[in-house]
Amino acid sequence: MENVFVVTGASRGIGAATASLAAQAGYRVVRASRSAEESVGDRGWDARCDVSSWNSVQDLMSRVESRWGRIDVVFANAGVSVDTSFVSSSGAEPSEWTDMVVTNVCGPAFTACAAMPALIRSGGHLVLTGSAAGRGVRPGNLYSATKWAITGLAQAIRAEAVDTGVRVTVVQPGLVDTDAIPPSRVDDPKLAPEDVGRAVLYAVSQPSTVDVNEILLRPTGQAAHR
């Protein structure tokens, strides 16, 4: 039975690039996103899923395992970003922050919880998208705080799953060339989405005896504080 790779936030950017690389590596790939038009083939599946909804994520994992018999890799990648400030009126209104926090923190947590039974059965691998922004202070940046949370989430899941055979990796990219780049950083060095995808495939391609806990990657020339 062929291995199955589920990617959330797969409609663009890191998710789309990783899904493509996983398909090239021989996986059956589920490309999940809020905007997907449901379509399933023998090796590829575009699946609608809203990671901010526990019921939606649980339904996705159930459908995938029911149809394709197993889940071997889950890449909890879906996320959003809005500009924030705690001391000025710049950035998004606080009323707009909730979706980001729920998507970026609850989304990966829901995804992990829904996928874990299948990953335990397969001895599989959970990968979460963190960020280099989650490793240092970014003034007024709530997005950065949500990515700090992902580092802690990955560690908490790994600690609980230590005797299950499931491996847990958090990938922490620096600035990536996507449509979410703030105007102030358009001229900064950037990673391609495929650069991050290759890091994900590196982690999941290791022998089952190797658990790559964290991967931090930045574009050449990006300062550590950026």
Side-chain angles (χ1 to χ4, degrees), residues 7-9 14-15 18 74-79 103-105 108 126-132 143 146-151 153-154 169-174 176 196-197 200 215:
V7 182
T8 68
I14 293 170
T18 305
V74 173
F75 183 25
N77 168 72
T103 300
N104 291 6
V105 181
L126 174 69
V127 184
L128 303 98
T129 298
S131 173
Y143 171 81
T146 68
K147 293 304 183 179
W148 276 84
I150 295 305
T151 299
L153 176 65
T169 300
V170 58
V171 177
Q172 300 168 318
V176 181
V196 185
V200 174
I215 299 178

Side-chain angles (χ1 to χ4, degrees), residues 46-121:
D46 293 312
R48 186 181 296 274
C49 179
D50 179 357
V51 300
S52 68
S53 163
W54 162 247
N55 289 338
S56 181
V57 179
Q58 189 178 42
D59 177 67
L60 172 68
M61 300 304 169
S62 177
R63 289 190 292 138
V64 172
E65 196 176 24
S66 176
R67 179 181 286 270
W68 279 352
R70 60 188 296 131
I71 298 174
D72 299 275
V73 181
V74 173
F75 183 25
N77 168 72
V80 296
S81 176
V82 298
D83 291 333
T84 59
S85 173
F86 297 94
V87 299
S88 76
S89 59
S90 64
E93 291 293 322
S95 60
E96 301 175 44
W97 299 357
T98 302
D99 179 63
M100 178 177 68
V101 174
V102 173
T103 300
N104 291 6
V105 181
C106 290
F110 291 161
T111 301
C113 186
M116 195 56 68
L119 291 177
I120 291 173
R121 285 188 281 272

Side-chain angles (χ1 to χ4, degrees), residues 176-201:
V176 181
D177 192 5
T178 69
D179 58 7
I181 294 175
S184 62
R185 302 196 64 188
V186 294
D187 295 325
D188 288 0
K190 305 173 190 66
L191 296 165
E194 291 77 12
D195 297 329
V196 185
R198 283 190 290 270
V200 174
L201 268 292

